[in-house]
Amino acid sequence: MALLEIRNLHATVDGKPILKGIDLSIGKGEVHAIMGPNGAGKSTLSYVIAGREGYEVTDGRILFDGEDLLELEPDERACAGLFLAFQYPVEIPGVTNTTFLKTALNAQRKGRGEGELDAMQFLKFVREKAKPLGIGDDMLKRAVNVGFSGGEKKRNEVLQMAVLEPKLAVLDETDSGLDIDALKIVADGVNAMRRPDNATLVITHYQRLLDHIVPDRVHVLADGRIIKSGGKELALDLEAKGYAQFGGAAAA
Amino acid sequence: MVATPETIEQLRSVTDEKYKYGFVTDIEADVAPKGLNEDIVRFISAKKSEPDWLLEWRLKAYRAWLDMDSPDWAKLKIDPIDYQDAYYYSAPKIKDGPKSLDEVDPKLLETYDKLGIPLKEQEWLAGVAVDAVFDSVSVATTYKERLEQEGIIFCSISEAIQNHPELVRKYLGSVVPYTDNFFATLNSAVFTDGSFVYIPKGVRSPMELSTYFRINAQNTGQFERTLIIADEGSYVSYLEGCTAPQRDENQLHAAVVELVALDDSEIKYSTVKNWYPGDENGVGGIYNFVTKRAACRGRNSKVSWTQVETGSAITWKYPSCILQGDNSVGEFYSVAITNNCQQADTGTKMIHLGRNTRSTIISKGISAGRADNTYRGLVRIQPKAESARNYTQCDSLLIGDRCGAHTVPYIESRNPSATVEHEATTARISEDQLFYCCQRGLSEEEAVSLIVNGFCREVMQHLPMEFAVEAQKLVGISLEGSVG
C-alpha cells in the first residue's frame, strides 16, 4: 500500500480551479519530486495536502497510510505524520524555537497517545537533532524565525522535521533563497532522515536541489495536472529544455 | 526560589479547566444588614475592635464619598451600581480566631484545596507564605515564624491594626488618601481586610509573600486594603492572585493597595487576576475597580508592578508610581486580556518628582470576541525631575473583527532635560501563524495560546516562576472559543 495516494484531486482557491485532476502515488521509502513552472499549482498541492483553510477540494481523494486525509483537521494530519516545510516559514515573536518545538512535539505525542517529554528529556533530544544542522543553543533560544536569514529559516524547517519525525515530509520550494552551502546542509539533513518506512515529496522549480536529494520519481506539474512522470533523468531533461515544452511559463 | 513539580502540578489543575471555580462554600456568614450608612461603617469598625482614630478616618472617608460621583472618564460601559443593595461586611464564623491550620474550618480548607492553594507542607517547599482572604477576613497565615525570625511582619491588616497600630497609623492613607477617588474613598470607609507587610531595614524577604483572594458570599462587595512598607535597604516580592465563584449578579470589588518604598529598598508586586469574567454575554462577572499606588519615597528605591489580568467583567485599574526619591525607579509590566463582553481600561501613572528618576511601561493588551481593551497611561515629569527618563511600549493584539483596542497615553513633561519615549503597535494574529502552528500539530486553541503567550513574553518573564506557569495557562483558558 502506498503511503500517499492521491486520486483525481481537484481543488479551487477563491472559486478558481487550480488543481484539475491530480493522480499521485508515493510508496514508503521513496522520494518523489514535483517540478513545474510558476503558477502550475505546486504550492496549492502542498497546502491541500496539509489542509489549509481556503483551499477547497472539489473532487477526488487523498489517502494517507490508508486513512482519508481530507477528513482530518490540519493538526490531526500533523499528528498522523504529515509535515510541510514551508516556502516562507512564519515568524512567531516571543516564542522561542525550543518552546515551539517542545509544544509541537508534545502535542503530536499526545495526539498519538504517547507520553509527553519533560524539559530535560526534550532538551537532550533537540540538541542531538540540531547539531548536524549547525543549529546551536543560541538559535534554539531565539524566537521562531524572527530575524532569521533565509538560510536559517530553511534550516529551522529541517530541524522541525527532524524533531517531529514525520512519515511524509512535503518540502515546498525549500531550496528557494538558499546559497549552495546552505542548500547542502538542508539536503544532508533531509537525506539523513530517509528510512524505509517514510517518504519525501520535494516540490521545486529547479533541478539543483535534486542533485543533493536524489528522487526515485519526478513528476511535471503544469496547469493543475501531472503531465509527465519519469525517473531522476527527467529532472535533468527539464533543466536542459525548460518548461516551455509543456506549454507553461518559462522559468524566471 | 524552587517551584516543586507538585506546586506546578497544582497550578496546572487550578488552571486546566474552563472555569471550574463556580462553587459556593456554605458557611454561615456573619453579615451586616444590607446597605451603606454611618451605622454600617461603625458596625464594621466595632466588629474589628478598631481604635477610635481609625473609625474617625473611616467616617471622614464615608462623608467625603457621599459628595463624590462615580468616575465616567474611562472607556467603559457600566450600568449604575446600587450601593445600597449590597452587603458591606461578611465574615466566616470563627470562635476567637484559629491559632493553627488545625483550628481552621475544614470546609474552608476544602475550598482552598479546590482552588489548588497549597497551605500545607508542600507550600513551604515552594517558599510561599499565604495570607488567605476568605470573604473579608483573613483566616490563616502560614510561615509566620520563619518571617518573624527576620523581623518581617506579614499579617492581615486587621491584625496589624491591633498589633502594630503605630505603623498602620503612619502609613495608611499616606499614598492613597481617603479623598483620592470614588472607589478608593468607598474602600477607606468600609474596608474589611487585606494584607499588611513590613520589611525592616536591610532585610531581604527570604520567600515570596503571597495572598490569594476569593470572593465568596453572595452580594458581598469586597474591599481589601493592602499596605506594604519596605524600610531602608530592604527587598520584598509580593504575589497576589485570585479566583472567584460563578455568580449571576455583578459583584463589586474595590481594593486599595498602597506601597511605600524607603531609601534603597525594592518592592516587586505581581498580580495574576482571574476574577469571574461573566458568561459569554457578560452576565455575572466581577466589577474590579482598584486603586494601586506606590510611593518611591526614598533615594534609589524601586517599585515594579507586574500584572496579568484575564478576568472581571470590568477592569478599572492603574497601578502607579510616585517617584519622589532621587534615582528612584518605577516599572509597570501588564498583560490585559479581554474576551467575549469583557471591558478593561487599565494602565499606569508614573509621576516623576525626583532627579534621575526612571520609569518603564510595557503594556500588552489582547482583545477577542466583542471585548474592549484600553491602555490609559500618564507619564508626568515635574519641574524638579532633572534628567528623568521614561520608556513606554504599548502593544495591542486583536483576535477576530468585533473587538477593540485603544491606547490613550498622556505625556506631560515640565522639565526640558527629561527623555520620554512612547511606542505603540497594533497587530492581529495572522492566519499564516495559525496554520503554521496547526501544521506542526497544535490545535487552533493551543496555537492561539502559544502565539499570545509569545506576544506577552516581555511581561510574563517578570513574574515569579510558578506564577508564570499559572499565568500562561490562564492566557490559553481566557481565550478559549475566540477563534474558529
Side-chain angles (χ1 to χ4, degrees):
Chain A
M1 186 182 61
L3 180 62
L4 183 75
E5 187 79 47
I6 300 179
R7 291 182 202 149
N8 189 35
L9 183 69
H10 288 71
T12 60
V13 178
D14 292 333
K16 192 178 160 219
I18 306 290
L19 301 182
K20 302 166 183 172
I22 303 249
D23 289 286
L24 179 66
S25 180
I26 301 177
K28 286 179 181 167
E30 294 178 355
V31 173
H32 285 230
I34 288 187
M35 302 182 70
N38 292 328
K42 299 192 301 291
S43 285
T44 298
L45 177 61
S46 70
Y47 285 147
V48 168
I49 293 172
R52 182 160 196 164
E53 210 175 305
Y55 292 76
E56 200 187 336
V57 174
T58 50
D59 201 2
R61 320 180 53 180
I62 304 178
L63 294 176
F64 184 59
D65 226 2
E67 210 177 340
D68 185 353
L69 198 66
L70 299 178
E71 287 292 304
L72 302 179
E73 295 295 323
D75 55 315
E76 294 169 331
R77 297 182 196 200
C79 293
L82 179 76
F83 181 89
L84 172 62
F86 283 59
Q87 184 177 359
Y88 303 108
V90 179
E91 298 184 0
I92 310 180
V95 178
T96 65
N97 247 335
T98 310
T99 301
F100 184 69
L101 285 165
K102 182 163 171 263
T103 309
L105 179 65
N106 279 335
Q108 292 204 11
R109 290 178 68 99
K110 210 167 116 195
R112 292 193 292 262
E114 300 163 8
E116 298 183 16
L117 296 185
D118 66 31
M120 291 313 289
Q121 289 170 319
F122 177 77
L123 204 60
K124 189 162 175 279
F125 176 70
V126 76
R127 279 183 177 146
E128 269 166 33
K129 299 289 185 182
K131 206 173 165 199
L133 293 165
I135 295 176
D137 278 5
D138 59 326
M139 194 161 145
L140 289 173
K141 281 181 201 150
R142 281 159 65 188
V144 179
N145 294 322
V146 177
F148 283 28
S149 69
E152 284 176 327
K153 282 184 181 173
K154 295 303 171 76
R155 266 191 286 155
N156 207 27
E157 291 294 285
V158 177
L159 173 63
Q160 292 178 15
M161 182 175 147
V163 165
L164 298 172
E165 300 176 315
K167 286 187 204 158
L168 176 69
V170 179
L171 310 183
D172 186 6
E173 308 253 0
T174 295
D175 50 335
S176 67
L178 291 189
D179 62 30
I180 192 69
D181 294 332
L183 188 74
K184 190 141 187 342
I185 293 174
V186 165
D188 288 349
V190 172
N191 287 330
M193 276 176 261
R194 290 185 68 165
R195 290 200 314 257
D197 61 343
N198 66 17
T200 310
L201 176 60
V202 181
I203 294 174
T204 183
H205 195 97
Y206 300 106
Q207 115 84 22
R208 60 171 194 165
L209 180 64
L210 304 181
D211 286 340
H212 301 281
I213 304 174
V214 181
D216 299 297
R217 298 286 292 165
V218 175
H219 311 275
V220 180
L221 183 69
D223 193 26
R225 290 183 189 88
I226 289 176
I227 51 170
K228 189 163 185 175
S229 298
K232 61 187 173 201
E233 65 287 347
L234 179 57
L236 297 167
D237 187 47
L238 279 172
E239 182 82 351
K241 295 181 187 160
Y243 292 112
Q245 56 179 320
F246 302 111
Chain B
M1 70 193 264
V2 189
T4 61
E6 294 90 306
T7 309
I8 290 167
E9 198 45 54
Q10 262 160 339
L11 290 172
R12 213 162 266 158
S13 69
V14 171
T15 51
D16 252 1
E17 284 166 35
K18 200 170 196 173
Y19 202 93
K20 66 180 184 185
Y21 310 134
F23 53 85
V24 178
T25 306
D26 179 28
I27 288 180
E28 203 188 326
D30 181 7
V31 295
K34 228 181 202 182
L36 183 55
N37 53 48
E38 286 203 9
D39 287 342
I40 295 289
V41 176
R42 288 177 199 280
F43 174 88
I44 292 169
S45 192
K47 269 275 175 196
K48 307 179 88 56
S49 319
E50 287 176 353
D52 289 343
W53 64 264
L54 191 51
L55 173 61
E56 281 310 310
W57 191 75
R58 285 177 180 277
L59 288 171
K60 278 192 283 183
Y62 174 71
R63 288 166 198 147
W65 181 75
L66 289 176
D67 290 330
M68 295 169 111
D69 291 318
S70 188
D72 60 358
W73 41 262
K75 190 175 167 48
L76 300 170
K77 275 191 219 97
I78 309 170
D79 289 333
I81 298 165
D82 183 355
Y83 291 93
Q84 296 304 335
D85 189 32
Y87 293 97
Y88 290 84
Y89 184 82
S90 135
K93 275 199 168 169
I94 294 160
K95 292 171 217 126
D96 301 322
K99 291 183 183 63
S100 75
L101 282 180
D102 303 339
E103 293 178 31
V104 173
D105 188 327
K107 257 191 175 166
L108 272 183
L109 294 177
E110 209 181 293
T111 304
Y112 293 136
D113 277 347
K114 282 192 208 167
L115 285 169
I117 297 172
L119 270 182
K120 295 175 187 151
E121 234 13 73
Q122 67 265 41
E123 181 64 11
W124 170 238
L125 295 171
V128 179
V130 175
D131 175 27
V133 174
F134 182 87
D135 259 17
S136 317
V137 173
S138 295
V139 290
T141 301
T142 46
Y143 310 115
K144 249 183 183 162
E145 283 180 19
R146 176 76 182 89
L147 295 172
E148 272 168 11
Q149 282 171 14
E150 303 281 350
I152 293 171
I153 304 168
F154 177 36
C155 61
S156 73
I157 199 149
S158 313
E159 284 176 75
I161 289 163
Q162 302 302 327
N163 302 331
H164 309 281
E166 69 298 339
L167 281 173
V168 177
R169 195 167 185 178
K170 182 170 176 189
Y171 290 106
L172 185 76
S174 74
V175 187
V176 180
Y178 70 83
T179 50
D180 193 78
N181 71 73
F182 185 82
F183 299 114
T185 300
L186 176 62
N187 173 291
S188 301
V190 299
F191 75 87
T192 42
D193 221 326
S195 295
F196 177 84
V197 176
Y198 173 77
I199 314 289
K201 277 183 192 173
V203 171
R204 280 185 73 86
S205 175
M207 62 185 85
E208 320 247 353
L209 306 184
S210 167
T211 303
Y212 285 79
F213 291 83
R214 180 171 167 79
I215 289 182
N216 202 280
Q218 200 152 7
N219 254 344
T220 303
Q222 277 231 323
F223 301 94
E224 268 103 41
R225 188 94 196 182
T226 297
L227 177 58
I228 299 176
I229 302 139
D231 212 327
E232 291 170 23
S234 68
Y235 168 84
V236 64
S237 169
Y238 187 86
L239 319 182
E240 178 199 12
C242 76
T243 60
Q246 191 162 347
R247 293 293 183 195
D248 282 341
E249 286 170 66
N250 286 300
Q251 291 179 303
L252 176 64
H253 182 86
V256 172
V257 176
E258 295 179 279
L259 311 184
V260 179
L262 302 180
D263 284 359
D264 305 300
S265 68
E266 180 176 351
I267 302 174
K268 191 173 154 57
Y269 193 106
S270 310
T271 308
V272 174
K273 268 284 156 57
N274 186 24
W275 292 125
Y276 180 59
D279 64 14
E280 275 110 66
N281 298 310
V283 174
I286 304 288
Y287 287 4
N288 195 25
F289 304 108
V290 185
T291 304
K292 287 185 167 175
R293 196 173 301 154
C296 289
R297 294 225 171 113
R299 293 170 60 87
N300 311 315
S301 58
K302 179 176 174 183
V303 168
S304 177
W305 297 102
T306 304
Q307 62 171 15
V308 176
E309 296 282 342
T310 65
S312 302
I314 296 174
T315 301
W316 179 98
K317 182 178 171 189
Y318 315 88
S320 301
C321 296
I322 299 166
L323 303 169
Q324 252 172 298
D326 289 349
N327 312 317
S328 61
V329 176
E331 294 173 338
F332 175 73
Y333 303 103
S334 169
V335 169
I337 298 178
T338 50
N339 196 1
N340 297 316
C341 290
Q342 282 177 270
Q343 309 175 67
D345 193 301
T346 183
T348 185
K349 286 190 270 187
M350 293 291 176
I351 312 295
H352 292 253
L353 301 173
R355 301 151 77 88
N356 298 314
T357 45
R358 282 166 291 149
S359 61
T360 303
I361 300 170
I362 310 279
S363 165
K364 305 277 181 177
I366 297 112
S367 313
R370 284 167 287 160
D372 258 310
N373 203 324
T374 302
Y375 167 82
R376 186 182 305 276
L378 168 67
V379 176
R380 177 182 289 155
I381 315 279
Q382 295 290 57
K384 286 183 182 160
E386 275 312 305
S387 307
R389 274 180 295 163
N390 162 264
Y391 173 76
T392 301
Q393 184 188 329
C394 295
D395 299 322
S396 303
L397 189 67
L398 301 170
I399 302 171
D401 54 12
R402 290 179 302 164
C403 55
H406 317 273
T407 301
V408 190
Y410 298 89
I411 299 169
E412 301 170 11
S413 181
R414 301 202 178 106
N415 187 308
S417 67
T419 312
V420 180
E421 286 177 80
H422 180 92
E423 290 180 19
T425 65
T426 303
R428 272 176 200 284
I429 290 188
S430 75
E431 200 266 325
D432 280 350
Q433 286 175 320
L434 284 178
F435 177 63
Y436 191 66
C437 293
C438 292
Q439 209 300 308
R440 298 301 184 247
L442 276 65
S443 69
E444 210 154 72
E445 283 181 352
E446 288 168 333
V448 169
S449 172
L450 185 77
I451 294 165
V452 173
N453 269 305
F455 174 76
C456 303
R457 184 158 169 255
E458 289 160 282
V459 172
M460 296 295 203
Q461 67 193 11
H462 290 282
L463 287 173
M465 156 99 170
E466 65 273 62
F467 236 31
V469 173
E470 181 178 16
Q472 282 173 11
K473 289 272 175 185
L474 276 181
V475 165
I477 292 164
S478 53
L479 288 169
E480 273 174 9
S482 62
V483 289

